Amino acid sequence: MDLAKYAGNVIRKLREDRKWTQTDLAEKVGIGKSAIANYEAGTRAPKQDILFSLANLFEVSINNFFPPITNKNKNIVSIFEQLESNRKSNVYKFAIDQLNKQNGISEVSEKYIVNNRCTAAGTPIDGDYEDAQQEIVVRNEVPRGADEVVTIAGDSMQPLLMRGSQAFVHYQPVPDYDGQIVIVSIKDIGVTCKKIYREDGKIRLKSINEKYSDMIYPAQDVRVIGKVITQKK
């Protein structure tokens, strides 16, 4: 049986037995509600330290979160049990890392991402994006290829990107295709988030919200910072 799904079912049952919400459990463990939701859905397996925290909280053995030993997995479990504690930890971390990569999730301990900058979705934000205040932080559930998470200001990209929401960005100077959602810096004007179209030496920036008109600039005045790869709620 899949480790993540098995552990997720156990976590859900133990939580529901205590009549706790996912938010309740997240607060008790000290992690985000989305992490608990992912664990219970089986899309992400808890790291070893989280499993120990859950085991202590629920007053159960950490073995409760693992499938019973069967003939199919007996050999690998037998080998695992012969390892020293530090080697067991290394094996577990490797297995979880492989599972998270298989599910398209970067491990939080390995993924650092730029945060605390803002991009317009409407009238461009004045100033140089590179000079804006920023910080590098560790993020849970960072999709592959993400280099930064930015806050969306304005409503021109609604309903896809809501005002105040955050979006992951992958740095690249050239869009993959016309109509892709990108973050661009416009010379002497500012930074904005729009769909981009390249037309005869000019760049047309299009909003999703129909109340906004297209913005057209000479191609040399528009620099693509990166593409939006997903929205972070």
Side-chain angles (χ1 to χ4, degrees):
M1 180 182 291
D2 182 271
L3 171 62
K5 291 182 179 178
Y6 186 90
N9 289 335
V10 173
I11 293 170
R12 181 187 295 106
K13 184 178 185 308
L14 291 171
R15 175 181 63 79
E16 291 177 347
D17 286 347
R18 287 159 177 75
K19 295 181 170 48
W20 293 344
T21 64
Q22 290 183 340
T23 300
D24 293 334
L25 180 55
E27 291 176 351
K28 293 176 186 295
V29 180
I31 58 179
K33 177 188 172 184
S34 62
I36 298 296
N38 285 331
Y39 296 156
E40 294 189 356
T43 57
R44 185 180 179 88
K47 294 189 299 178
Q48 189 176 40
D49 59 332
I50 298 298
L51 280 182
F52 277 115
S53 295
L54 290 169
N56 290 333
L57 183 63
F58 290 127
E59 298 181 334
V60 299
S61 168
I62 194 171
N63 293 331
N64 285 43
F65 299 103
F66 296 92
I69 296 175
T70 64
N71 288 333
K72 185 177 180 180
N73 60 23
K74 177 168 58 178
N75 290 337
I76 191 169
V77 172
S78 175
I79 294 172
F80 182 80
E81 289 301 328
Q82 295 177 53
L83 296 174
E84 297 173 351
S85 296
N86 64 323
R87 297 184 186 277
K88 285 182 179 179
S89 178
N90 290 337
V91 170
Y92 184 82
K93 289 178 180 177
F94 177 78
I96 294 302
D97 176 66
Q98 292 301 303
L99 179 62
N100 286 334
K101 286 179 178 178
Q102 177 177 291
N103 292 333
I105 300 173
S106 299
E107 187 59 39
V108 63
S109 61
E110 298 177 349
K111 183 64 179 180
Y112 290 78
I113 189 166
V114 177
N115 184 38
N116 205 30
R117 295 201 284 197
C118 190
T119 183
T123 303
I125 294 176
D126 292 335
D128 192 331
Y129 187 77
E130 276 62 34
D131 290 340
Q133 182 183 8
Q134 60 179 292
E135 59 177 330
I136 298 178
V137 297
V138 178
R139 283 274 177 177
N140 277 311
E141 301 167 12
V142 177
R144 290 179 182 176
D147 298 302
E148 178 167 0
V149 58
V150 299
T151 300
I152 301 297
D155 61 354
S156 74
M157 298 304 285
Q158 292 182 181
L160 181 62
L161 298 175
M162 303 300 290
R163 183 200 304 267
S165 67
Q166 291 186 302
F168 289 110
V169 178
H170 170 65
Y171 299 148
Q172 65 177 60
V174 179
D176 297 318
Y177 54 87
D178 280 355
Q180 187 169 40
I181 298 177
V182 295
I183 308 296
V184 299
S185 176
I186 306 167
K187 183 179 179 182
D188 298 327
I189 296 179
V191 177
T192 191
C193 175
K194 290 285 186 289
K195 286 186 174 183
I196 188 170
Y197 295 88
R198 293 159 289 188
E199 302 171 343
D200 298 326
K202 295 184 178 180
I203 295 293
R204 179 162 58 92
L205 301 174
K206 184 177 182 62
S207 302
I208 293 177
N209 189 334
E210 294 183 355
K211 78 176 184 180
Y212 288 89
S213 301
D214 293 355
M215 299 188 297
I216 300 175
Y217 300 96
Q220 65 268 23
D221 289 349
V222 179
R223 178 173 59 85
V224 177
I225 295 170
K227 65 180 179 181
V228 173
I229 56 177
T230 188
Q231 182 179 10
K232 182 182 185 301
K233 303 199 183 223

